[in-house]
Amino acid sequence: MLWQGRRESDNVEDERGSGGGGRIVMGGGIGTVILVVLYLLLGGNPQALFNSQDSAQLPQQHGQYQNQAPRDEASKFVAVVLADTEDAWHSIFQQMGREYQEPRLVLFTDLTQSGCGFARGATGPFYCPEDQRVYIDLGFFRLLQQRLGAGGDFAEAYVIAHEVGHHVQNLLGITDRMQAARGRVSEAEYNRLSVKLELQADFLAGVWARYADRVKHVVEAGDIEEAMRAASAVGDDRLQSRSRGYVVPDSFTHGTSEQRLRWFRRGYETGDLRQGDTFNAAEL
Ligand SMILES: [Zn+2]
């Protein structure tokens, strides 16, 4: 993938080396004062901050670690890919007559607190709809390369694009419909819905890959195969057959390698959101 020297997204929050739990310690007293000042400096509405002050899981608190760590190659790469997803989805949403709201992306090591609860690096990358953030421990990319045999920059880009795909589903109201189904349907049925959600995120990653290829011209020979290898390497069946230090959240509900590959490819080949309705597809 051609990525050096290209636009980096401003939406990356680098928490690596901050110890993760730091935000909880900062939750009261002088920490709160600093937080409020920072928040105001960043142009925030103070009312919004105080309205949610009762919660220790303030999404606003993320900002304080932003750009603290020196920008290394890995975080630059993530920021470039995130910027590519922003451009792609702004354009696609515009075509639908809608406005795309960019997600934030948190880089962390080992442990962090998200709007969806605590996350360990061991849970793998995930998207939290509550705070509209993608969480990535870069250690997962090493795992992808060393243990799953699916390394390479475009493989990593696919993982980011998949998580951003979950954000797109959130903006389109699909995540809400899933949440509403929870508790109303049997666990088996809910798992089936989860697979459809995951395969659709793969489809959306494919739509992004097409944009990166056809509009940005940043896809190099072998890149698409790299992403497909990654999609296939993180299928439930593959993951379950390995002893591993990491699990993908809901790892039992992501679909098989073959399914993930197929939906990614369909997104890449069509670039047409109407082709990605995994919920009503005759065959997954
Ligand atoms: Zn997913």
Side-chain angles (χ1 to χ4, degrees), residues 239-260:
L239 280 178
Q240 285 167 35
S241 69
R242 285 170 186 270
S243 61
R244 57 190 190 269
Y246 286 81
V247 293
V248 174
D250 303 321
S251 76
F252 293 89
T253 50
H254 273 71
T256 66
S257 293
E258 196 271 323
Q259 287 173 320
R260 302 199 68 171

Side-chain angles (χ1 to χ4, degrees), residues 59 62 104 113-116 127-135:
H62 277 282
R104 308 279 290 176
Q113 191 177 22
S114 77
C116 298
Y127 171 73
C128 172
E130 308 303 323
D131 60 15
Q132 302 205 358
R133 278 172 165 80
V134 170
Y135 289 82

Side-chain angles (χ1 to χ4, degrees), residues 135-152:
Y135 289 82
I136 292 181
D137 181 338
L138 293 177
F140 182 78
F141 291 150
R142 282 193 293 278
L143 169 97
L144 207 56
Q145 184 158 28
Q146 291 164 7
R147 306 228 348 246
L148 299 175

